[in-house]
Amino acid sequence: MVKWVLIVLLVALPVLEIWGLILAGRHLGAFPAALLLVFTSVLGVYLAKREWTKVWHAAKIQWQRGEMPAAAGLDGLCVLAGGLLLAVPGFFTDIVGLLMIVPPMRVWFRRGLMLLIRRAIERGRFRIWYRR
């Protein structure tokens, strides 16, 4: 099932992004639409760097207290994924990427990740490999 979801995403996402770019070009004009894409990318890089610094600091504090920084780790994954989505040109990936970086919305993505991990553990599909 995961393979089919990935195949659909790899086909549907570029089509959706091209459609969004065409619509933006029609309504705003080609140059303003291109400027908006560049602006969202630059803003996304700035926000991702700023939020990554905050998440890293929170994780360090939790480590120093002797706690496992699980929430900070999931926040870090959300910020990384959001930054990667902002690097992909297109308005829809930019929207999702920005939502993953903004702290109030990141809580929802973190809960979803926690739910996915919990289900994978319950079904025996989650393994951790380590060496001594």
Tab-separated table of all heavy atoms in Angstrom, residues 87-109:
chain	number	residue	atom	x	y	z
A	87	ALA	N	11.713	23.869	-0.304
A	87	ALA	CA	12.732	23.877	-1.359
A	87	ALA	C	12.154	23.422	-2.697
A	87	ALA	O	12.701	23.747	-3.745
A	87	ALA	CB	13.898	22.972	-0.963
A	88	VAL	N	11.045	22.678	-2.656
A	88	VAL	CA	10.394	22.227	-3.885
A	88	VAL	C	9.583	23.397	-4.436
A	88	VAL	O	8.766	23.972	-3.729
A	88	VAL	CB	9.454	21.027	-3.601
A	88	VAL	CG1	8.673	20.635	-4.834
A	88	VAL	CG2	10.249	19.852	-3.060
A	89	PRO	N	9.818	23.767	-5.705
A	89	PRO	CA	9.058	24.894	-6.234
A	89	PRO	C	7.583	24.558	-6.409
A	89	PRO	O	7.238	23.522	-6.961
A	89	PRO	CB	9.725	25.184	-7.586
A	89	PRO	CG	10.506	23.985	-7.919
A	89	PRO	CD	10.773	23.240	-6.657
A	90	GLY	N	6.741	25.395	-5.892
A	90	GLY	CA	5.302	25.201	-6.009
A	90	GLY	C	4.593	25.780	-4.809
A	90	GLY	O	5.152	25.874	-3.721
A	91	PHE	N	3.347	26.157	-5.023
A	91	PHE	CA	2.599	26.819	-3.957
A	91	PHE	C	2.020	25.833	-2.941
A	91	PHE	O	1.971	26.129	-1.756
A	91	PHE	CB	1.480	27.671	-4.559
A	91	PHE	CG	2.004	28.829	-5.358
A	91	PHE	CD1	1.819	28.890	-6.722
A	91	PHE	CD2	2.682	29.855	-4.743
A	91	PHE	CE1	2.296	29.958	-7.455
A	91	PHE	CE2	3.181	30.927	-5.455
A	91	PHE	CZ	2.982	30.976	-6.822
A	92	PHE	N	1.582	24.674	-3.380
A	92	PHE	CA	0.962	23.722	-2.463
A	92	PHE	C	1.985	23.137	-1.498
A	92	PHE	O	1.718	23.016	-0.306
A	92	PHE	CB	0.233	22.629	-3.245
A	92	PHE	CG	-0.890	23.166	-4.087
A	92	PHE	CD1	-0.772	23.257	-5.457
A	92	PHE	CD2	-2.051	23.621	-3.492
A	92	PHE	CE1	-1.796	23.776	-6.238
A	92	PHE	CE2	-3.082	24.151	-4.251
A	92	PHE	CZ	-2.955	24.233	-5.631
A	93	THR	N	3.165	22.784	-2.000
A	93	THR	CA	4.207	22.283	-1.103
A	93	THR	C	4.697	23.393	-0.179
A	93	THR	O	5.063	23.116	0.968
A	93	THR	CB	5.386	21.694	-1.898
A	93	THR	OG1	5.853	22.656	-2.849
A	93	THR	CG2	4.992	20.413	-2.589
A	94	ASP	N	4.687	24.643	-0.661
A	94	ASP	CA	5.074	25.762	0.203
A	94	ASP	C	4.090	25.934	1.351
A	94	ASP	O	4.488	26.190	2.488
A	94	ASP	CB	5.160	27.064	-0.594
A	94	ASP	CG	6.403	27.134	-1.462
A	94	ASP	OD1	7.280	26.262	-1.310
A	94	ASP	OD2	6.487	28.047	-2.295
A	95	ILE	N	2.813	25.783	1.072
A	95	ILE	CA	1.805	25.920	2.126
A	95	ILE	C	1.982	24.838	3.186
A	95	ILE	O	2.014	25.122	4.388
A	95	ILE	CB	0.381	25.877	1.523
A	95	ILE	CG1	0.124	27.145	0.702
A	95	ILE	CG2	-0.673	25.720	2.616
A	95	ILE	CD1	-1.119	27.080	-0.153
A	96	VAL	N	2.129	23.600	2.745
A	96	VAL	CA	2.312	22.501	3.699
A	96	VAL	C	3.627	22.670	4.456
A	96	VAL	O	3.698	22.454	5.671
A	96	VAL	CB	2.249	21.133	2.982
A	96	VAL	CG1	2.572	19.998	3.935
A	96	VAL	CG2	0.875	20.923	2.364
A	97	GLY	N	4.678	23.082	3.740
A	97	GLY	CA	5.970	23.300	4.391
A	97	GLY	C	5.915	24.381	5.449
A	97	GLY	O	6.463	24.217	6.542
A	98	LEU	N	5.258	25.492	5.141
A	98	LEU	CA	5.125	26.557	6.131
A	98	LEU	C	4.307	26.107	7.336
A	98	LEU	O	4.620	26.451	8.474
A	98	LEU	CB	4.485	27.796	5.491
A	98	LEU	CG	5.402	28.648	4.633
A	98	LEU	CD1	4.604	29.727	3.905
A	98	LEU	CD2	6.501	29.280	5.464
A	99	LEU	N	3.261	25.325	7.088
A	99	LEU	CA	2.456	24.816	8.206
A	99	LEU	C	3.272	23.884	9.099
A	99	LEU	O	3.058	23.847	10.308
A	99	LEU	CB	1.213	24.096	7.681
A	99	LEU	CG	0.145	24.984	7.061
A	99	LEU	CD1	-0.988	24.125	6.502
A	99	LEU	CD2	-0.390	25.994	8.057
A	100	MET	N	4.201	23.143	8.502
A	100	MET	CA	5.027	22.241	9.307
A	100	MET	C	6.075	22.991	10.119
A	100	MET	O	6.567	22.473	11.114
A	100	MET	CB	5.714	21.206	8.409
A	100	MET	CG	4.764	20.218	7.810
A	100	MET	SD	5.595	18.997	6.821
A	100	MET	CE	5.949	17.780	8.080
A	101	ILE	N	6.416	24.196	9.709
A	101	ILE	CA	7.445	24.957	10.407
A	101	ILE	C	6.862	25.826	11.513
A	101	ILE	O	7.462	25.982	12.570
A	101	ILE	CB	8.246	25.809	9.397
A	101	ILE	CG1	9.116	24.889	8.547
A	101	ILE	CG2	9.103	26.843	10.097
A	101	ILE	CD1	9.857	25.573	7.448
A	102	VAL	N	5.667	26.356	11.307
A	102	VAL	CA	5.051	27.250	12.289
A	102	VAL	C	4.678	26.438	13.538
A	102	VAL	O	3.951	25.442	13.443
A	102	VAL	CB	3.809	27.938	11.678
A	102	VAL	CG1	3.105	28.794	12.699
A	102	VAL	CG2	4.215	28.755	10.466
A	103	PRO	N	5.176	26.850	14.723
A	103	PRO	CA	4.978	26.045	15.934
A	103	PRO	C	3.535	25.668	16.282
A	103	PRO	O	3.296	24.510	16.639
A	103	PRO	CB	5.608	26.907	17.036
A	103	PRO	CG	6.615	27.726	16.334
A	103	PRO	CD	6.041	27.998	14.971
A	104	PRO	N	2.538	26.564	16.204
A	104	PRO	CA	1.187	26.131	16.579
A	104	PRO	C	0.636	25.028	15.667
A	104	PRO	O	-0.081	24.142	16.129
A	104	PRO	CB	0.348	27.397	16.453
A	104	PRO	CG	1.306	28.523	16.556
A	104	PRO	CD	2.582	28.023	15.974
A	105	MET	N	0.972	25.061	14.402
A	105	MET	CA	0.486	24.030	13.481
A	105	MET	C	1.353	22.776	13.542
A	105	MET	O	0.900	21.683	13.241
A	105	MET	CB	0.465	24.571	12.048
A	105	MET	CG	-0.513	25.700	11.852
A	105	MET	SD	-2.203	25.260	12.338
A	105	MET	CE	-2.584	23.970	11.190
A	106	ARG	N	2.607	22.936	13.919
A	106	ARG	CA	3.525	21.797	13.997
A	106	ARG	C	3.051	20.767	15.026
A	106	ARG	O	3.330	19.580	14.899
A	106	ARG	CB	4.924	22.308	14.330
A	106	ARG	CG	5.994	21.276	14.142
A	106	ARG	CD	7.377	21.867	14.215
A	106	ARG	NE	7.617	22.602	15.437
A	106	ARG	CZ	8.234	23.767	15.494
A	106	ARG	NH1	8.645	24.354	14.396
A	106	ARG	NH2	8.428	24.366	16.649
A	107	VAL	N	2.316	21.220	16.019
A	107	VAL	CA	1.778	20.310	17.041
A	107	VAL	C	0.914	19.233	16.378
A	107	VAL	O	0.983	18.061	16.735
A	107	VAL	CB	0.970	21.094	18.097
A	107	VAL	CG1	0.253	20.169	19.040
A	107	VAL	CG2	1.883	22.040	18.846
A	108	TRP	N	0.118	19.617	15.391
A	108	TRP	CA	-0.755	18.655	14.717
A	108	TRP	C	0.063	17.636	13.929
A	108	TRP	O	-0.257	16.444	13.927
A	108	TRP	CB	-1.725	19.379	13.790
A	108	TRP	CG	-2.680	20.229	14.551
A	108	TRP	CD1	-2.601	21.573	14.764
A	108	TRP	CD2	-3.843	19.787	15.252
A	108	TRP	NE1	-3.643	21.999	15.534
A	108	TRP	CE2	-4.433	20.912	15.852
A	108	TRP	CE3	-4.445	18.544	15.426
A	108	TRP	CZ2	-5.587	20.842	16.609
A	108	TRP	CZ3	-5.604	18.479	16.173
A	108	TRP	CH2	-6.155	19.604	16.760
A	109	PHE	N	1.108	18.095	13.261
A	109	PHE	CA	1.956	17.173	12.518
A	109	PHE	C	2.705	16.240	13.473
A	109	PHE	O	2.884	15.057	13.192
A	109	PHE	CB	2.953	17.942	11.645
A	109	PHE	CG	2.310	18.597	10.457
A	109	PHE	CD1	2.013	19.948	10.473
A	109	PHE	CD2	1.989	17.858	9.331
A	109	PHE	CE1	1.412	20.556	9.383
A	109	PHE	CE2	1.388	18.451	8.240
A	109	PHE	CZ	1.094	19.801	8.266
